[in-house]
Amino acid sequence: MTNSSFSRAMKNNEFSQAELVSVGIDTSDYFIAYSNWIGPYNFESAEREDYRIKNDSYDSPMAENKFIRFGSDGTLEFYSISRNELLRGESLNQQRTMVGVYDIHKNLIHTKRYLGIGHGPKLIRGKIRIEGDTLHFIEKMNIGVNSPHRQYIKTDLDNWE
């Protein structure tokens, strides 16, 4: 087994349009990172540590725009685009993404992806809830009792040039 076998959590899964709509997924949508904090692995928790709003005076300027997009085949694409770069369709190609997978369970989206942590790749599990134009993403890092929470908002890429 080579290290490249860990680079993607592969899955071949097709979802019906009804399943995607039931949790708020539109596979043509892109979501851009808006805020992040550390807290319990729980959507309802009001406890927030180290809260940051992106592009706000409370946070240092971000070097990258971070995007998420869902595929109808169960893939979850993570993009990081330099702020100095014009955002165009060619900026968001498969060579510039990290790919994870997702599955739908009742009203939640469960995710898996490999991240390079420490001396090698580590499988990270997460969960997503979409409400309107906001995506709330929590990943369980298994370090301490708190997990990173990230909020993304739906964005229109046509207005980025």
Side-chain angles (χ1 to χ4, degrees):
M1 188 179 294
T2 66
N3 283 343
S4 64
S5 65
F6 291 107
S7 64
R8 296 173 189 248
M10 298 307 292
K11 182 178 185 178
N12 186 7
N13 199 2
E14 289 288 330
F15 294 102
S16 71
Q17 191 61 32
E19 287 174 301
L20 296 173
V21 169
S22 73
V23 292
I25 295 175
D26 180 338
T27 57
S28 65
D29 289 339
Y30 285 88
F31 292 87
I32 186 168
Y34 172 73
S35 66
N36 64 62
W37 69 91
I38 302 297
Y41 192 67
N42 178 342
F43 287 114
E44 284 70 35
S45 173
E47 179 184 340
R48 294 181 178 192
E49 299 173 18
D50 194 30
Y51 183 73
R52 297 287 186 262
I53 296 176
K54 303 298 182 190
N55 302 321
D56 189 275
S57 60
Y58 295 109
D59 199 9
S60 60
M62 290 178 54
E64 299 176 322
N65 289 302
K66 304 226 181 248
F67 296 90
I68 287 181
R69 182 174 185 206
F70 293 91
S72 61
D73 61 351
T75 57
L76 183 58
E77 301 167 349
F78 298 86
Y79 298 93
S80 294
I81 307 298
S82 167
R83 285 216 183 271
N84 298 327
E85 182 179 350
L86 284 177
L87 187 60
R88 302 182 192 282
E90 61 268 14
S91 301
L92 302 173
N93 64 48
Q94 287 294 328
Q95 276 73 37
R96 303 191 63 181
T97 185
M98 176 186 296
V99 178
V101 294
Y102 71 91
D103 204 353
I104 298 171
H105 296 281
K106 298 184 182 176
N107 62 342
L108 289 181
I109 303 161
H110 292 264
T111 67
K112 292 180 191 174
R113 68 176 172 153
Y114 284 100
L115 293 178
I117 298 175
H119 294 289
K122 179 172 176 70
L123 178 64
I124 304 298
R125 297 176 189 272
K127 56 187 176 183
I128 296 174
R129 183 171 64 192
I130 300 175
E131 293 179 357
D133 288 348
T134 303
L135 181 149
H136 185 170
F137 185 24
I138 308 171
E139 287 186 297
K140 193 165 193 143
M141 303 301 277
N142 294 327
I143 49 175
V145 295
N146 291 325
S147 299
H149 290 242
R150 292 178 204 90
Q151 284 190 329
Y152 294 76
I153 54 172
K154 195 181 305 182
T155 187
D156 181 4
L157 295 181
D158 295 332
N159 295 327
W160 277 83
E161 294 185 342

